[in-house]
Amino acid sequence: MSLASFQDLLDAARQQPEPQRLLLVFVRVELPQNATAEQRERFERREGGTLAPCLCVDKTPEEIASFEALAEESKATGQDWDLLFVGGLAGRAGVAPSADEAAQPLRFMVNAINDGRVAQFATFDRQGEVVQFG
C-alpha cells in the first residue's frame, strides 16, 4: 500500500478487517558520536545522522484525531523529535490488542530503529509528510 499522508495511514488502519493498535516511535536525528567531516557535512544538509528514539506510545487509530493533534500532544512530553515511525499490531476476533500486548512489539520496534532496520515502518516528518529512505 502506498501512503501519501499520515491521514492515509489512519484511514487504512481504520478499514482493516481486525481492529488495530498503532505503535508510534518518535525519534531525533542526531550527529553521530565522533562524526567525520563528511558525516558533519551530510548532517548539515539533513542527509544523514543517527536515529535516536526519544518517545514511544501505542494508540488505537480512533485515539488519534489527526497528525496535528498527535504532534500537539507530543509537545506535552517536552521531547523534541524529527521523525515519527509507525507500525501496526492487528487484533483478533474483533478485539484490538491492549496496551500491555503492545509493550513488547513496541520495544522490538525501538530496537529495530536503533539497529537501522526501518524499512518496514511508515515514516513521517514533523509536518506529517511521508519520508522515504534511499
Side-chain angles (χ1 to χ4, degrees), residues 51-65:
L51 300 175
C54 59
L55 178 65
C56 55
V57 67
D58 60 273
K59 293 181 171 283
T60 65
E62 293 72 28
E63 293 174 314
I64 304 171

Side-chain angles (χ1 to χ4, degrees), residues 14-84:
R14 291 175 180 146
Q15 294 170 4
Q16 295 302 305
E18 291 291 348
Q20 303 288 302
R21 182 163 289 276
L22 298 177
L23 309 176
L24 309 162
V25 178
F26 298 81
V27 304
R28 284 188 295 268
V29 179
E30 300 176 341
L31 187 63
Q33 195 171 11
N34 303 319
T36 66
E38 181 183 344
Q39 287 173 318
R40 288 179 193 283
E41 288 175 23
R42 290 188 70 225
F43 182 79
E44 292 301 321
R45 291 191 310 261
R46 300 189 58 84
E47 294 176 356
T50 300
L51 300 175
C54 59
L55 178 65
C56 55
V57 67
D58 60 273
K59 293 181 171 283
T60 65
E62 293 72 28
E63 293 174 314
I64 304 171
S66 65
F67 181 84
E68 293 76 18
L70 183 65
E72 187 63 32
E73 184 180 335
S74 76
K75 288 181 184 177
T77 69
Q79 294 288 329
D80 287 330
W81 55 274
D82 299 301
L83 298 172
L84 170 62

Side-chain angles (χ1 to χ4, degrees), residues 65-122:
S66 65
F67 181 84
E68 293 76 18
L70 183 65
E72 187 63 32
E73 184 180 335
S74 76
K75 288 181 184 177
T77 69
Q79 294 288 329
D80 287 330
W81 55 274
D82 299 301
L83 298 172
L84 170 62
F85 289 90
V86 183
L89 194 57
R92 292 177 302 279
V95 178
S98 69
D100 286 343
E101 291 172 307
Q104 186 173 7
L106 198 50
R107 281 191 298 275
F108 288 152
M109 187 173 168
V110 168
N111 290 338
I113 292 167
N114 283 330
D115 291 342
R117 295 179 284 119
V118 297
Q120 70 265 34
F121 307 120

